Amino acid sequence: MPPAKQRRRTPRQLVRGVRRRTRRAAGRLRRAFWRSLQLRVVTSTMVVSMAVVAVLGVFLDQQINTSVLNARLRAAMSEAQADRIAVLGFLSQPAGEPAKQSGDAGKSLQSGGDSPLSQATTALANRAGSASRYSVIICNRKLPGACFGTTNIDERAVTDKMRADVVKQEPGKNSLWYGDLHYKGGSEPIPGLVLGARLDTTGAPQVHNEYEIYHLIPLNEEEKTLNAVRQMLVVVGVALVLLLAAIASLVTRQVVTPVRLTRQAAERLAAGRLDERLKVRGEDDLARLAASFNEMAANLALKIHQLEELSQVQRQFVSDVSHELRTPLTTVRMAADLLYDAREDFDPMAARSAELMQNQLERFESMLADLLEISRYDAGAATLDIDSVDIRDVVLRAVADSEALAERHSTRFDLRLPGEPCMAEVDSRRVERILRNLLFNAIEHGEGRDIVVSVGADRDAVAVAVRDHGVGLKPGEENMVFDRFWRADPSRARTIGGTGLGLAISREDAMLHGGWLQAWGMPGEGSQFRLSLPRVAGAELRGSPLPLVPPEVEMRRTWRGQMTPVLTPAAVDGGHDAD
């Protein structure tokens, strides 16, 4: 069969794909930036260095540019002054009648005759040498269009605005312009400066016409020099920034590497490798840090070892005492049963004492059983007897065991079970014990209101939720609910008479299954405990088919415009203690 045709993506989809990839790349770069101290230091150094180099480069460029142009301008003004004196000398020579001189002057400007002005222009051209040094244009203000220039300078280089500005100036004073110079036969204009002035004819009364002289100095060589200097500044600036970044990287690496090694050693120490130590090199601050870390690790290992020994002794003591108490407790139990059965033959005081002893022995036996179970968990000896069961049947058995206690507290159970079987591979004995603890806890704190028991299942997990409408929980108490012997209200007397280990054992049972035992509570709203278990033994639990927050509470929050905080599956929420 031919391969399936790939669906062509629209331009909008392509743009979205590019944006998505760009955001991902930016996110990876941002994470790398904030996770690496060395990268942040090098980046900061480069940014600051670039700013400093840019400011210094602009300052040096301006200073060099000003120095080069001022030197060129001073030389041009000196030459222009000498040229004006020379031109006045040529124009002051006797040349016949003034009218004839004026006519000859106009003729020489246009045709290049042998007049004094032509001789002056030729002398100026010889003094300039070449157009690369400077060029001169002399104009007669009384004869429009009568301008004559040296070399191949184009008269367009002198604009009408320049001539108007020169006319307004006093004779002998220079006007300065920066612009483009045009040459005959040249395709591109050349940057340059123009010095213009009126000739001061007060010392030559025989010169009747007013003349303007313009010196045009090309700056192409200076422009090339300045461009070369700018390129050199850029190259040196980039090299300096890279050099500073390399130096910052090297210096930072000398500090970051020991810190990174210390972090890795701390992580291994936190993972339980108490023999982890750092190498101490030198006598500087980092060496003292490594020595302090090693001393801390040694003291921590010693304390942990001592605590482990103490904990082992305590666990062994609890286990031994619990086992040793079973024999005398059995004997006392047998005697108490005989007394309890014969209590009708006793006087009222003795009969009441037999009843009290029977109740306390039952509580003592329950506490002893819980202590033995806790000692098994502490010793890591707890195991599961896995079997495929219907969670609904387990729930019904737990509810049946709690019916008598519920009747004494005027409490009813509201069962919400699915119509289809909820099969799961669990230890039914332990799961039933978890549910009994949750039901006893709800009866104890439900204040006689109905208790809702819900069962849910999906493809991967099953869940049971026990909801009461009692006193609820205060903020922060949910983090302590599964601690051993913890009570939500120490001043409140237990009415059931439990040991205070019920929820602690229940959590251990849930964790042994690879499941979660979570709780939610709010003052005045009651509480809800949720047990979530994987359908297949050993599978990873990723979610629960039942919500942790009751739906009616979530709905009221939505109506009031309140946002419910997101609860992660791994979070362990609060509740009260179970008896």
Side-chain angles (χ1 to χ4, degrees), residues 59-344:
F59 176 75
L60 290 176
D61 180 68
Q62 292 179 350
Q63 292 297 318
I64 294 173
N65 189 13
T66 303
S67 299
V68 171
L69 293 180
N70 287 342
R72 183 69 169 176
L73 179 60
R74 286 193 297 269
M77 293 180 68
S78 177
E79 293 172 343
Q81 182 65 24
D83 290 346
R84 285 198 295 269
I85 295 174
V87 171
L88 286 174
F90 280 102
L91 295 178
S92 300
Q93 296 176 1
E97 297 179 0
K100 186 175 183 300
Q101 183 182 5
S102 300
D104 292 343
K107 181 178 179 181
S108 63
L109 288 169
Q110 297 177 10
S111 60
D114 195 18
S115 65
L117 187 56
S118 175
Q119 296 175 6
T121 306
T122 302
L124 294 181
N126 292 332
R127 290 188 60 183
S130 64
S132 61
R133 186 178 178 187
Y134 66 89
S135 301
V136 180
I137 295 179
I138 302 176
C139 298
N140 189 338
R141 187 167 62 86
K142 296 299 182 64
L143 299 175
C147 294
F148 191 80
T150 63
T151 62
N152 59 342
I153 189 68
D154 195 330
E155 298 174 3
R156 291 181 300 165
V158 178
T159 63
D160 294 338
K161 183 178 181 304
M162 294 180 183
R163 298 194 64 181
D165 292 341
V166 170
V167 170
K168 296 177 182 178
Q169 290 286 348
E170 296 180 1
K173 288 190 176 181
N174 292 314
S175 297
L176 175 64
W177 302 273
Y178 288 95
D180 295 331
L181 305 183
H182 297 270
Y183 292 87
K184 295 177 181 179
S187 59
E188 295 293 336
I190 297 175
L193 60 87
V194 180
L195 287 174
R198 291 169 55 192
L199 291 176
D200 187 3
T201 59
T202 55
Q206 66 273 29
V207 181
H208 299 285
N209 297 324
E210 295 186 3
Y211 294 95
E212 305 161 10
I213 183 170
Y214 299 90
H215 285 75
L216 301 96
I217 301 94
L219 300 176
N220 52 342
E221 295 298 330
E222 285 77 7
E223 189 70 21
K224 293 179 181 179
T225 302
L226 292 176
N227 289 334
V229 171
R230 293 191 187 101
Q231 294 177 0
M232 185 60 64
L233 288 176
V234 171
V235 172
V236 172
V238 172
L240 181 60
V241 169
L242 295 178
L243 181 61
L244 291 175
I247 295 174
S249 177
L250 179 62
V251 173
T252 309
R253 185 180 181 84
Q254 294 178 353
V255 178
V256 170
T257 299
V259 174
R260 189 174 298 162
L261 294 176
T262 305
R263 176 186 60 81
Q264 295 173 356
E267 291 176 352
R268 290 191 290 268
L269 187 66
R273 298 174 57 180
L274 301 180
D275 57 343
E276 186 68 28
R277 297 294 183 271
L278 292 174
K279 294 182 180 180
V280 180
R281 298 184 179 91
E283 299 179 355
D284 55 4
D285 293 337
L286 295 176
R288 290 197 293 271
L289 173 64
S292 301
F293 177 86
N294 293 339
E295 184 178 358
M296 178 197 69
N299 293 333
L300 183 62
L302 178 61
K303 293 296 183 182
I304 291 177
H305 181 68
Q306 293 175 352
L307 290 175
E308 286 179 349
E309 290 182 348
L310 178 61
S311 178
Q312 181 66 27
V313 171
Q314 290 177 343
R315 288 197 299 266
Q316 188 65 35
F317 174 77
V318 172
S319 179
D320 294 342
V321 170
S322 300
H323 282 87
E324 293 297 329
L325 285 177
R326 294 184 67 87
T327 300
L329 180 62
T330 303
T331 304
V332 174
R333 178 69 177 181
M334 293 174 59
D337 288 342
L338 291 175
L339 294 175
Y340 183 75
D341 292 339
R343 67 185 183 281
E344 295 180 357

Side-chain angles (χ1 to χ4, degrees), residues 540-553:
E540 183 180 359
L541 188 60
R542 298 182 180 274
S544 179
L546 292 178
L548 181 59
V549 181
E552 65 273 12
V553 177

Side-chain angles (χ1 to χ4, degrees), residues 403-450:
E403 284 287 354
L405 182 63
E407 290 179 0
R408 290 200 299 268
H409 287 76
S410 302
T411 301
R412 294 187 309 152
F413 291 117
D414 181 7
L415 301 181
R416 300 178 183 180
L417 307 180
E420 299 179 354
C422 303
M423 305 302 296
E425 298 177 357
V426 297
D427 187 338
S428 59
R429 180 183 65 86
R430 294 182 183 275
V431 174
E432 187 175 341
R433 180 170 61 188
I434 295 174
L435 296 178
R436 281 199 304 269
N437 286 328
L438 297 182
L439 293 173
F440 289 170
N441 182 77
I443 294 171
E444 172 75 17
H445 299 90
E447 297 185 342
R449 298 186 179 92
D450 291 351

